[in-house]
Every structure is written in structure tokens, then in C-alpha cells.
């Protein structure tokens, strides 16, 4: 695991955007695994700015998002489909047909998850997977539990995740209770992984991800076993980690 310490959120976002843009420059047909959440917004903004300048070209890139709330239509402003369009896809020269997010509008969980696993496998899995990390160490919507998950599956969100995500809804009651998420095994199939984290509230999770035991009680800890994983985090998120 490579750990890159940044001075602040902006520095984190710029460095993460540099890694992603290098990936796309080196391989224009890259398959990118993408995340939603507050953390990668700055990274997406930076990539959009470089794309507008002609420095990075997404026209041949395909993307596969980690997760989606179950029960939300693609047009719902709280859906991850909507998030990805408004925060990233609408601002870059990607072909929308090459962007993929689990189908939260499909109530048949088994079919939705099976179909998503199939298309991610057919794409050959991401060249680079971008991840955020939850305060409880979750990646995607893979919450702490007795074992590491495998493929795409439906999850019941934990109280702590519902609480954390409620900041983006009018009230906690409106946060969907279920989601479809790529499994931990699928995430580990990516050829490289880039985790972004900022802020003091992530410090415990970041410490456990990088230095704790590899334990499904902190799903992100499995990333220690990945052969090409980079963490880009600001001082606050790394405040519990040794400086060297
Ligand atoms: C989002 C996702 C989640 C977030 C995590 C951190 O697609 O998979 O695991 O990365 O909840 O969210 P933020 O960045 O909002 O703190």
C-alpha cells in the first residue's frame, strides 16, 4: 500500500486527478471503477477542468460505479446515477452509453446484481478503481460484518451509514434503507486501486485500513492485500497514522 499525504482537500483532489488522468493518457480505452460521495467531488471537478482544456480525453473510457440505492429511479436527484451525471459525466467528453451504475430501479435484487456482475466481468474489471472510505471502514456499501463479500449484492444499510448519508437528504427518513453494491472481491479484481480520504472523521477508518488487522469488521483493511493500492489522504485523515 502506497500512502500519499496531502496538505488539504484540494491537494488530495489534484493528486488523485493526476493519477486518474495518467491512467487515461497511458490507456485511452481504460475501464474506470468510480465512487460517489463527497470525497471524490473535487477530483471529478479537476478532471473535468483538464478535459475542457484538452489535457485528458474520456471519449474511449468506460466506467463502472460501485453502488446505487435500491428503489430510486435513474432520474431521482438522490440517485447515484444522477450524482455521476451532474458531478462528472455531464462535464467530460465521455460517451454516456459507456457509463454504468447498478440499476437501483430494478426491484429484482438477484437479477440486478447478477446483470451488473456480468457486465463488469465482460469489461475485464477496472484498470483503476477509485474508492472513498466510510467512517466505519466501509468501501462501496460493503459494511463491517463477519466476512468479506464477493460479487454484487443487496445490502441493508447500517444505522451509522444512514445517519452519515442523511446530510444529503431532507431528513433521515428519506434515506433508502437498501442498496446494490459491488462486492469486496470484485473491488479487489481491479488492477489498481486509488483510495481518497479527507477530514478528521475518517482518521480512525484510515488507520484501520492501512495499519489494522485485515478484518471484515473493517472492509477497507483488505486493501492491504492488494498489489497496487494507493491511498491519497490529507493530514487530518492521516492524523492517526505514523508519519513514515
Ligand atoms: C460511494 C461509496 C461509499 C463512499 C463512502 C465515503 O459510492 O461507495 O463507500 O465512498 O461512504 O463517502 P464520503 O466521500 O461522502 O465521505
Amino acid at each position: 500500500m502506497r500512502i500519499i499525504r496531502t496538505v488539504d482537500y484540494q491537494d488530495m483532489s489534484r493528486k488523485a486527478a493526476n493519477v486518474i488522468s495518467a491512467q487515461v493518457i497511458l490507456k485511452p480505452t481504460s475501464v474506470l471503477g468510480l465512487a460517489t460521495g463527497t470525497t471524490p467531488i473535487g477530483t471529478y471537478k479537476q478532471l473535468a477542468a483538464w478535459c475542457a482544456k484538452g489535457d485528458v480525453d474520456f471519449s474511449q473510457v468506460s466506467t463502472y460505479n460501485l453502488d446505487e440505492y435500491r428503489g430510486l429511479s435513474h432520474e431521482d436527484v438522490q440517485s447515484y446515477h444522477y450524482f455521476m451525471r451532474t458531478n462528472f459525466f455531464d462535464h467530460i467528453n465521455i460517451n454516456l452509453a459507456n457509463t454504468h451504475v447498478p440499476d437501483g430501479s430494478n426491484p429484482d435484487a438477484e437479477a440486478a446484481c447478477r446483470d451488473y456482475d456480468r457486465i463488469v466481468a465482460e469489461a475485464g474489471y477496472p484498470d483503476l478503481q477509485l474508492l472513498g472510505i466510510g467512517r466505519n471502514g466501509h468501501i462501496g456499501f460493503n459494511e463491517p460484518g463477519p466476512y468479506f463479500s464477493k460479487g454484487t449484492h443487496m445490502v441493508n444499510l447500517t444505522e451509522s451509514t444512514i445517519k452519515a448519508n442523511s446530510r444529503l437528504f431532507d431528513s433521515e427518513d428519506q434515506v433508502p434503507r437498501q442498496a446494490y453494491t459491488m462486492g469486496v472481491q470484485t473491488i479487489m479484481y481491479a488492477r489498481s486501486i486509488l483510495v481518497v480520504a479527507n477530514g478528521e472523521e475518517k482518521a480512525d477508518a484510515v488507520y484501520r485500513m492501512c495499519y489494522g488487522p485485515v478484518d471484515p469488521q473493517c472492509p477497507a483493511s483488505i486493501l492491504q492485500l492488494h498489489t497496487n493500492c494507493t491511498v491519497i489522504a490529507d493530514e487530518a485523515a492521516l492524523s492517526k497514522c505514523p508519519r513514515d
Side-chain angles (χ1 to χ4, degrees), residues 108-175:
D108 182 343
E110 215 185 297
C113 296
R114 192 187 49 234
D115 289 351
Y116 203 63
D117 271 343
R118 185 179 43 76
I119 62 166
V120 178
E122 280 171 6
Y125 299 103
D127 293 296
L128 185 153
Q129 173 69 56
L130 177 65
L131 294 176
I133 178 171
R135 287 174 223 191
N136 61 4
H138 73 225
I139 47 175
F141 270 125
N142 294 285
E143 302 282 10
Y147 49 79
F148 291 109
S149 62
K150 295 191 172 70
T152 305
H153 58 288
M154 189 184 84
V155 287
N156 295 313
L157 305 190
T158 61
E159 276 312 311
S160 77
T161 298
I162 292 168
K163 237 182 206 31
N165 290 9
S166 66
R167 71 191 189 283
L168 305 169
F169 290 77
D170 289 338
S171 75
E172 208 174 299
D173 296 347
Q174 291 182 5
V175 184

Side-chain angles (χ1 to χ4, degrees), residues 35-40 66-67 80 132-134 138-141 167 202:
T36 61
T38 315
T39 319
L66 285 166
D67 43 18
Y80 288 174
I133 178 171
H138 73 225
I139 47 175
F141 270 125
R167 71 191 189 283
K202 298 291 175 69

Side-chain angles (χ1 to χ4, degrees), residues 166-243:
S166 66
R167 71 191 189 283
L168 305 169
F169 290 77
D170 289 338
S171 75
E172 208 174 299
D173 296 347
Q174 291 182 5
V175 184
R177 270 29 188 184
Q178 292 172 322
Y180 299 144
T181 183
M182 256 188 213
V184 169
Q185 184 180 39
T186 311
I187 292 171
M188 290 291 281
Y189 284 155
R191 281 175 286 292
S192 64
I193 294 184
L194 173 60
V195 188
V196 284
N198 72 293
E200 215 184 314
E201 71 274 14
K202 298 291 175 69
D204 275 324
V206 169
Y207 175 81
R208 292 173 74 203
M209 166 173 70
C210 300
Y211 296 97
V214 175
D215 179 347
Q217 291 302 335
C218 176
S221 63
I222 200 159
L223 300 174
Q224 291 174 42
L225 303 184
H226 197 278
T227 50
N228 189 2
C229 178
T230 303
V231 177
I232 302 186
D234 72 354
E235 288 283 358
L238 285 170
S239 57
K240 302 216 164 142
C241 294
R243 281 202 84 79

Side-chain angles (χ1 to χ4, degrees), residues 50-83:
W50 286 336
C51 182
K53 277 173 62 191
D55 288 348
V56 57
D57 173 12
F58 289 93
S59 62
Q60 297 178 75
V61 166
S62 56
T63 65
Y64 292 83
N65 263 79
L66 285 166
D67 43 18
E68 175 61 287
Y69 288 118
R70 180 172 186 239
L72 298 191
S73 79
H74 299 185
E75 308 311 322
D76 192 302
V77 296
Q78 302 292 1
S79 73
Y80 288 174
H81 277 81
Y82 185 87
F83 175 99

